[in-house]
Amino acid sequence: MQQRLSSPASEIKPAYDVVVVGSGYGGGVAASRLARAGQRVCVIEKGKEFLTGEFPSRLPELRRELQLNGGKMRSGSRTGLFDFRLGADIHVLVGCGLGGGSLINAGVALRPDPRVFVDPVWPDQVTGDGLLELGFGRASAMVRPARHAKAAELTKYRALDAASAAFGVPPVAAPVVVSFEDTVNPAGVAQPACTLCGDCCSGCNVGAKNTVAMTYLPDARAHGAEIFTELAVSHVSKGEGGWRIHFAPSDGKDESPRFVDAKTVLLAAGTLGSTEILLRSREHGLKLSDRLGEGFSANGDIIAFALGGTERVNGIGVGYPPKYVGEAIGACVAGQIELSDARHLDRSMILQEGVLPSALAPLLPVFFISGGRLIGAAHSLIKGVYQGPLSHLHTFFVVSHDEAKGKIRLDNGSATVDWPGVADEPVYARVDAALTKAAEAVGARYIKSPLAVTSMGTKPATAHPLGGCGIGEDAASGVVNHKSQVFDGSGESVHPGLYVCDGSVIPRSIGVNPLLTITALAERAMIHLARDHNLGFDTRPRVRAEADSAMI
Ligand SMILES: Cc1cc2nc3c(=O)[nH]c(=O)nc-3n(C[C@H](O)[C@H](O)[C@H](O)COP(=O)(O)OP(=O)(O)OC[C@H]3O[C@@H](n4cnc5c(N)ncnc54)[C@H](O)[C@@H]3O)c2cc1C
Ligand code: SF4
């Protein structure tokens, strides 16, 4: 039986060696590696813990897990799994829960084009010391990207194949962090095989997705880390012999200040979360680089649709237990078309087919009717989305490059992104043109924004926020150095014991889905941290017997 990883908040101690704030990829890596190094580690996560089977599978459950935050406007629970940040120029979707974005992402794990790291925005050491390579190796060993052996047999893959005629480039199977066979993973956790239900983006109720909650966090727990959920960190300040981490219950009902002390703090609250915590810390007097909040990138990330074409797609999840029994759907992403531009990196893009979660199924006809784009949607309402016209709905995820010119700032105490003119970034026109061609190749209509009638409007949106605490040579060019240590605002000097370890340190778009790069950079940072503090840790997988006894 799956054990909870988190402990009641009342058990939090006054001090630890290490406090990790946030529990996505960066936080998971930090907690696992430093717990293995014998440090007394505490993880503080704003969201809830979800066990397998507890993810939303029906529309009312999904609605309860939505939070909308935009300046003074906010609705939904502060611990809702889907955290939408509505901005004046661009919206951002992030995951909130123990495991962060890994709980609701599609799990595509790709390495960037090597040209990404040639950009002088990265300090030379990042690729020069060989540890990033080691980081990618360790990240892959833990999250285990795999390609579904029979991807090409899936209906949605065949539909992508038909669309690929537009480019003359056939699709390939996409590597995803999914267990396609029963396994005991390197953290010693038993995972059943993927049922190809398609619901990866509302949370895997099978336990087959290799999330941070299935991998790094159980590993950290097994090595003694203490994990606390539903606590939000407001800011950090210098304390006696280290750092003071200020937090309060996430529900906002009890604002009486609480804190915990630590020699070392790793901010791993995600691109918006870590930047937000540092911006608030600066308001409390902490000296930081003026670059804080700058260099936000949406990673050229787009979701769009095509409908009414000749190809059956079967791109709506059935969930688990399945709501509809028919053909296998497949993991959220099974295939991708890699459109690499040898001369202009920024024009390269990857086009992936995607699946919408089953809990959204009742809403889909409504969206497409209200947009007036689908005459036959009523047919779908009657026959169900699995048989009617919506079974021909193509969902595309595209990832590419932008100019990373957004800026994160505080609005009413929480992060929002300013990026005037972002909709005119060349990437959006390029992607529109590519998706229009892909839709035409299957006789379908390209649908850019079916959410135009909602509070999302027609502004760009991203699920791949990067930057805000970018890596740089010094405080003039970055917020952290190549080891993820936070600059104290003057030259290359850093605040001892303060680190940022998540997507916020990535100083530019990377043109691929970012989980693997975030994890690799975090692994690299932990190797440096261990060396700098004479700590050692091994990365050997745990075995099941050891895992079972440790869980008792
Ligand atoms: C729908 C969707 C699909 C995606 N698909 C893919 C994909 O296929 N492949 C891929 O590579 N990437 C994908 N991504 C993006 C990927 O999941 C993120 O880039 C990644 O999770 C970021 O990791 P992170 O460590 O930076 O932070 P996160 O995973 O965002 O984790 C940060 C954690 O910190 C917590 N936190 C925030 N503020 C505080 C605070 N003040 N106090 C305490 N805790 C706090 C948050 O609740 C969260 O749990 C997708 C994302 C979404 C939303
Ligand atoms: S397709 Fe279903 S079973 Fe497979 S990883 Fe995704 S949610 Fe889990």
Side-chain angles (χ1 to χ4, degrees), residues 248-492:
S250 303
D251 62 15
K253 288 182 188 146
D254 173 9
E255 291 191 350
S256 51
R258 296 174 63 184
F259 55 81
V260 55
D261 290 334
K263 285 194 291 245
T264 304
V265 188
L266 289 119
L267 298 180
T271 289
L272 299 184
S274 291
T275 307
E276 193 173 75
I277 291 169
L278 284 183
L279 286 167
R280 288 192 294 248
S281 303
R282 184 163 70 189
E283 286 185 345
H284 283 83
L286 190 66
K287 290 204 166 26
L288 295 164
S289 157
D290 291 340
R291 292 284 305 159
L292 181 60
E294 303 279 352
F296 174 90
S297 165
N299 207 27
D301 168 45
I302 283 119
I303 177 170
F305 304 89
L307 192 60
T310 49
E311 299 297 312
R312 193 176 167 87
V313 183
N314 283 354
I316 298 163
V318 293
Y320 183 79
K323 299 177 177 90
Y324 176 81
V325 179
E327 297 163 54
I329 305 297
C332 180
V333 173
Q336 63 187 23
I337 303 169
E338 298 170 359
L339 301 174
S340 177
D341 188 314
R343 288 200 305 159
H344 303 282
L345 172 66
D346 59 330
R347 293 187 197 163
S348 297
M349 65 176 82
I350 299 177
L351 222 137
Q352 292 154 348
E353 50 71 29
V355 179
L356 295 173
S358 63
L360 279 179
L363 272 186
L364 297 178
V366 181
F367 277 139
F368 289 102
I369 287 172
S370 59
R373 296 186 187 91
L374 176 62
I375 308 300
H379 185 62
S380 268
L381 274 173
I382 298 158
K383 285 187 98 180
V385 294
Y386 301 109
Q387 293 176 44
L390 285 170
S391 65
H392 288 234
L393 177 69
H394 297 256
T395 297
F396 295 116
F397 302 137
V398 184
V399 60
S400 183
H401 292 279
D402 59 29
E403 294 181 61
K405 285 193 177 150
K407 176 173 178 157
I408 305 173
R409 66 175 169 87
L410 288 182
D411 182 11
N412 203 26
S414 64
T416 188
V417 180
D418 288 342
W419 194 340
V422 59
D424 300 325
E425 280 273 321
V427 61
Y428 295 116
R430 281 196 290 266
V431 171
D432 275 355
L435 289 178
T436 304
K437 271 169 65 180
E440 282 169 358
V442 289
R445 283 184 310 282
Y446 172 48
I447 302 171
K448 190 175 171 183
S449 356
L451 299 181
V453 291
T454 71
S455 48
M456 304 288 289
T458 53
K459 289 173 193 157
T462 181
H464 295 177
L466 302 173
C469 303
I471 294 182
E473 296 281 358
D474 55 23
S477 58
V479 177
V480 300
N481 68 12
H482 75 97
K483 298 178 182 177
S484 274
Q485 295 171 298
V486 178
F487 291 121
D488 66 9
S490 64
E492 294 177 21

Side-chain angles (χ1 to χ4, degrees), residues 178 194-200 204 206 208-209 330-331:
V178 167
C194 169
T195 62
L196 307 179
C197 78
D199 265 6
C200 314
C204 178
V206 173
K209 189 163 70 158

Side-chain angles (χ1 to χ4, degrees), residues 103-162:
L103 302 178
I104 57 164
N105 67 18
V108 179
L110 295 168
R111 285 187 66 155
D113 185 315
R115 288 175 289 173
V116 165
F117 290 107
V118 173
D119 185 335
V121 72
W122 301 93
D124 291 344
Q125 298 96 323
V126 171
T127 45
D129 63 12
L131 296 183
L132 183 60
E133 207 46 45
L134 187 55
F136 272 113
R138 289 186 175 179
S140 297
M142 188 59 117
V143 298
R144 293 168 299 123
R147 296 171 209 262
H148 179 37
K150 295 187 177 167
E153 293 175 18
L154 297 167
T155 311
K156 67 193 184 98
Y157 189 101
R158 290 203 300 266
L160 183 71
D161 192 22

Side-chain angles (χ1 to χ4, degrees), residues 32-33 36 141-144 184-191 211-223 539-544 546-548 550-551:
S32 151
R33 298 332 187 190
R36 279 177 174 255
M142 188 59 117
V143 298
R144 293 168 299 123
V184 175
N185 75 24
V189 176
Q191 290 186 259
T211 64
V212 180
M214 283 284 171
T215 56
Y216 283 107
L217 291 171
D219 190 71
R221 178 82 182 76
H223 288 88
T539 55
R540 269 177 310 173
R542 299 183 74 238
V543 292
R544 180 68 189 278
E546 186 193 341
D548 284 344
M551 286 293 187

Side-chain angles (χ1 to χ4, degrees), residues 153 326 501 516:
E153 293 175 18
C501 208
L516 200 61

